[in-house]
Amino acid sequence: MPSELYGADKFIHGLLAASVGLAALVGDRIYSEVAPQGAAFPHVVFSFQSGLDRNAIGAFRIFTRPTYLVKAVTKDFSLATANQIAAIADDVLMGARGTIPSEQVSVMGCHRLMPVRYTEVRDGVRYNHVGGQYRLFVCKET
């Protein structure tokens, strides 16, 4: 995996994990890609969806623009808790910038592309998914 994506993963996880508001609602249950089997609810899951590179002449990558799905997942009838978690995550991510020195990447910005909300029922249990797709602007430090 290119280090820009690994750095973006660390960036998102770090921002979400540092949020006192999120910690009050989900503790440390913030997962990359999928929640482990048997994970407690509610929790947050973020996952890479797609990306676009901006290249210069000579096949030099200037930056990449990965899109991530970031969502709250709750297990109850109401959307209230999922909405509250998603709102806090949005406040944390919108406009965020920073560096991940261990991966030698900089995140030059983050913004939401679109909201996401859906519900699924498995074995008679309702699961709510609320969040958004976020675009990051990531460049490798030289």
Side-chain angles (χ1 to χ4, degrees):
M1 171 178 356
S3 63
E4 292 101 333
L5 295 182
Y6 192 61
D9 288 350
K10 284 184 160 186
F11 179 77
I12 291 170
H13 187 273
L15 286 176
L16 297 174
S19 168
V20 174
L22 275 181
L25 295 169
V26 302
D28 63 354
R29 296 183 305 274
I30 300 168
Y31 306 110
S32 176
E33 304 302 328
V34 296
Q37 188 170 355
F41 291 90
H43 56 255
V44 173
V45 176
F46 66 93
S47 59
F48 173 76
Q49 301 291 293
S50 66
L52 297 168
D53 288 339
R54 173 67 68 179
N55 297 306
I57 296 172
F60 175 76
R61 185 170 47 253
I62 301 168
F63 61 88
T64 188
R65 296 171 291 178
T67 300
Y68 280 81
L69 173 62
V70 181
K71 63 181 181 173
V73 184
T74 62
K75 181 179 164 182
D76 55 34
F77 185 76
S78 171
L79 289 169
T81 301
N83 285 334
Q84 185 179 9
I85 294 167
I88 294 169
D90 186 65
D91 285 344
V92 167
L93 293 171
M94 283 295 291
R97 345 170 30 121
T99 60
I100 305 296
S102 64
E103 300 308 313
Q104 297 180 324
V105 299
S106 291
V107 177
M108 300 176 290
C110 177
H111 66 271
R112 191 177 82 180
L113 295 174
M114 63 190 294
V116 171
R117 185 178 81 190
Y118 62 96
T119 300
E120 62 180 320
V121 177
R122 281 184 277 141
D123 300 323
V125 179
R126 178 182 167 139
Y127 298 89
N128 304 302
H129 304 258
V130 179
Q133 285 190 349
Y134 291 84
R135 163 110 354 116
L136 280 69
F137 294 84
V138 183
C139 69
K140 193 166 185 166
E141 296 176 349
T142 55

